[in-house]
Amino acid sequence: TKLNKHSKSYFNDYENRSFVEENIELFNYLTQNGFLIPSVGDARSGGRVVDSLVLMPSWIRKMIKIDRHDIVEVDYRALHPNIASMLYGGKKHYITHQMIADELGVEKQVIKEAHLSFFNEKINQMKQSPVYAYYKKKEPDMLNNIMYEKRNNESKYKATSKRLFDCEVRIMSEVLRRLNSKGIYALYVYDALYCKQVDALDAIEVMNQVVLEFGVYTTAECEISMEQLINRRKVLDAIKDL
């Protein structure tokens, strides 16, 4: 939303809006003196890396180009729920937000937003989450193991998210190493990569290989359909052959 010289209170639901002018101000702060040197987080964040790309508004980040090529986002489907399943004895593989939404009869976005905080919450907060009913019914052993850890680990309720972040960072680090060895360079933002469209198929292939090697059952997806990516690759290959 553009403020257009109005105060934020001009909008009734301003808490739920992202304002263009503030976004651009933040972007300028993060880039005007050069990009921030990437900073590796402490144990609480599992070593997640923070830099200008991570902190800038997502709509601006998506306008970045690599070698003058448009970029696309490639990320994992429900990465943290599937990591949690692997770490805490879950029985269901390839968990998706849509699958849980269908099971509970709610909108997918409700589940997606709930998962952003569920594993990082205190036990009483978890019980209020929209996804709690699913895990209690479908994954009782996994849920009990998580709750036991939150009660008994020295990090208390933060212990679970620390382990999830740590696994995420190790997976993404290996993905980037393998892509770099192929001469493919991508922007890293937590569990997502931003790469040139022409490199998206390679990114998906490597991400799928790596995550399975870590014992986590999920798959990578791109905001552009596979058919579009394949057609794009065919066009570029044809141009090279001319």
Side-chain angles (χ1 to χ4, degrees), residues 63-125:
M63 296 172 69
I64 292 173
K65 293 180 184 292
I66 298 178
D67 297 331
R68 300 184 181 180
H69 289 267
D70 291 334
I71 61 174
V72 291
E73 180 181 359
V74 183
D75 64 358
Y76 285 113
R77 292 184 175 93
L79 180 60
H80 281 204
N82 285 291
I83 292 176
S85 180
M86 181 270 291
L87 291 175
Y88 298 98
K91 295 180 173 58
K92 183 69 176 178
H93 292 163
Y94 298 101
I95 298 168
T96 67
H97 303 304
Q98 188 64 61
M99 180 188 75
I100 297 178
D102 291 342
E103 177 72 26
L104 298 178
V106 300
E107 294 293 324
K108 174 185 174 181
Q109 190 62 27
V110 172
I111 303 303
K112 189 172 184 178
E113 291 179 0
H115 270 144
L116 291 174
S117 59
F118 181 68
F119 298 106
N120 193 40
E121 292 175 333
K122 297 178 180 178
I123 292 175
N124 64 314
Q125 294 172 321

Side-chain angles (χ1 to χ4, degrees), residues 31-91:
T31 61
Q32 63 189 357
N33 295 318
F35 290 97
L36 299 177
I37 296 173
S39 173
V40 179
D42 58 20
R44 289 177 298 176
S45 67
R48 273 182 156 185
V49 175
V50 175
D51 58 16
S52 297
L53 296 169
V54 171
L55 297 175
M56 72 175 58
S58 60
W59 68 268
I60 295 180
R61 183 168 57 232
K62 290 182 178 181
M63 296 172 69
I64 292 173
K65 293 180 184 292
I66 298 178
D67 297 331
R68 300 184 181 180
H69 289 267
D70 291 334
I71 61 174
V72 291
E73 180 181 359
V74 183
D75 64 358
Y76 285 113
R77 292 184 175 93
L79 180 60
H80 281 204
N82 285 291
I83 292 176
S85 180
M86 181 270 291
L87 291 175
Y88 298 98
K91 295 180 173 58

